[in-house]
Amino acid sequence: MNKFIAQAFKVEHDFWKYLMGSMIVFIAAIVGQFPLLGAVIIKVIQDGGNLQLIDESSMYSLLDSNVFLLLALLSFAVGFIGLYLAVKFIHKQKMTAIATSRSKLDWKRIWFAFFFWGILSSALVLVDYFYLAPDGYVYNFEMQRFIILAVIAIALIPIQTSLEEYLFRGYLMQGFGVATTDKFFPFAFLISLITIPMFIIVNIKYTIGYLQNSLLLIAVITVGIIVFQIIKKTNGFESQTFNSLRNICQRNWSPLLITSAIFGLLHIANPEIGKLGYSLLIYYIGTGLFLGIMTLMDEGTELALGFHAANNLFTALLVTSDWTAFQTHSILKDIAEPKLELIDMVVPVFIMFPIILFVFSKVYKWTNWKEKLFGKIEEPPKDDYKIIG
């Protein structure tokens, strides 16, 4: 069994506690948005505007991009505090244990991935700027604003990316890992595979509000409970078919796939989706899979931490546009008409990411890919571990 996922069995690991912990992180992140919301409200009132007309896209133009970035990233810092509290008090666990299977974080791994991807991704942008598509960029450098941006970005973007890695590749990877050992996990997994795409399709095709979504969710839960009870009363959960399904799902690929899907779908509100379309979710989910595979093979999040921090930090400092989640006073500005072609998803997800995994596998001598990615997850005998206080 993968050592990284197995660590969760050493602590309080009932799945409802992971749900509670996730809710704490969500609430903390919402609280962390109050300064940004307050600044926007004050600015609208000062300008004599109408608060009812403010949406996410218009918020970017209300505040200076450095101020907006600072206030937006604060929510991740508060969310990180929420995650720390959940791990410490709900699971009786140390933060290190949701980040790595090693006794402490391996900073050499973090820095290697950081500089590897930071240098490579920056080189790709510069090649595009100087040779491939120079007309798609303008020089955007302003010394004073850039210095302020650099201070904010260097201080807070690693917190943002670290929260996402600790949460998705760490906390939830372990949480869903232990959940696979539950007798009824395959049922919940199949229901999710059906209902989550349904919600996405319905919201894309129709304009429905919070109330309609809530009623739809209640209806889905009700139907799910009814189906569950029917299967239970007919002993369907004891059938050979369900046992075979349980054996298939109780493996490392399950938490990998689930966390990658959640990670990708949470980007659905990004302005890039509005400009380029929902097919961009393939890239986000593919990125989640890439970082998840990296975590399981290396049995720790260090490489993912470094890669993700480099990706967001170097991008924020080097290039911006009017339609991305990070709009900054960067060195370059992308003015090309936004469009998403098949090659834009194929190259990073199916060519570049596998090459990077191959490079990392050689550097860190990864072995036993089948066991680490598809091995069975089993709770150790009670005598083999104790709850860590």
Side-chain angles (χ1 to χ4, degrees), residues 236-387:
F237 293 122
E238 309 301 329
S239 66
Q240 184 176 352
T241 301
F242 193 81
N243 286 331
S244 299
L245 183 61
R246 185 183 298 121
N247 184 58
I248 293 172
C249 292
Q250 195 176 329
R251 297 184 179 274
N252 295 325
W253 69 266
S254 291
L256 171 62
L257 182 61
I258 294 169
T259 55
S260 301
I262 295 173
F263 175 77
L265 292 174
L266 284 178
H267 288 81
I268 200 168
N270 280 22
E272 293 94 328
I273 298 295
K275 282 289 184 180
L276 301 177
Y278 289 96
S279 55
L280 186 60
L281 289 174
I282 296 173
Y283 168 76
Y284 287 123
I285 295 173
T287 301
L289 281 169
F290 163 67
L291 295 171
I293 292 171
M294 193 185 297
T295 297
L296 291 180
M297 287 306 305
D298 202 51
E299 297 186 311
T301 64
E302 290 97 336
L303 294 175
L305 284 167
F307 182 96
H308 199 164
N311 186 74
N312 287 23
L313 179 58
F314 281 81
T315 299
L317 295 176
L318 187 57
V319 63
T320 188
S321 71
D322 291 330
W323 47 270
T324 57
F326 280 163
Q327 298 177 22
T328 63
H329 294 296
S330 59
I331 298 174
L332 302 174
K333 185 173 183 178
D334 184 351
I335 58 171
E337 182 64 26
K339 59 180 180 178
L340 182 65
E341 298 178 350
L342 182 62
I343 192 171
D344 297 319
M345 291 184 292
V346 170
V347 171
V349 175
F350 299 104
I351 298 177
M352 189 172 294
F353 287 170
I355 291 174
I356 294 172
L357 287 173
F358 176 77
V359 172
F360 285 0
S361 73
K362 293 303 180 182
V363 172
Y364 295 105
K365 298 178 173 57
W366 293 346
T367 59
N368 205 5
W369 287 69
K370 183 178 179 181
E371 175 61 27
K372 288 182 179 179
L373 297 181
F374 302 99
K376 192 169 185 179
I377 301 173
E378 295 181 292
E379 184 170 3
K382 296 294 183 180
D383 292 338
D384 286 2
Y385 65 90
K386 62 179 181 179
I387 299 299

Side-chain angles (χ1 to χ4, degrees), residues 21 32 59 63 95 134 158 200 222 288 308 344 367 382:
M59 287 172 63
L63 303 173
M95 289 291 284
I200 295 172
T222 302
H308 199 164
D344 297 319
T367 59
K382 296 294 183 180

Side-chain angles (χ1 to χ4, degrees), residues 214-226:
S214 299
L215 293 174
L216 183 58
L217 178 61
I218 292 172
V220 168
I221 292 174
T222 302
V223 172
I225 292 173
I226 293 172

Side-chain angles (χ1 to χ4, degrees), residues 128-177:
D128 200 38
Y129 171 61
F130 284 110
Y131 301 105
L132 300 180
D135 294 337
Y137 298 89
V138 294
Y139 189 65
N140 191 54
F141 183 73
E142 297 179 51
M143 176 65 78
Q144 185 176 357
R145 285 181 165 179
F146 180 79
I147 291 175
I148 296 172
L149 165 65
V151 171
I152 296 170
I154 293 171
L156 293 178
I157 284 181
I159 294 177
Q160 176 241 330
T161 57
S162 294
L163 172 62
E164 293 183 4
E165 292 310 309
Y166 269 73
L167 181 61
F168 292 103
R169 257 62 67 181
Y171 185 70
L172 291 178
M173 183 77 79
Q174 292 181 352
F176 281 110

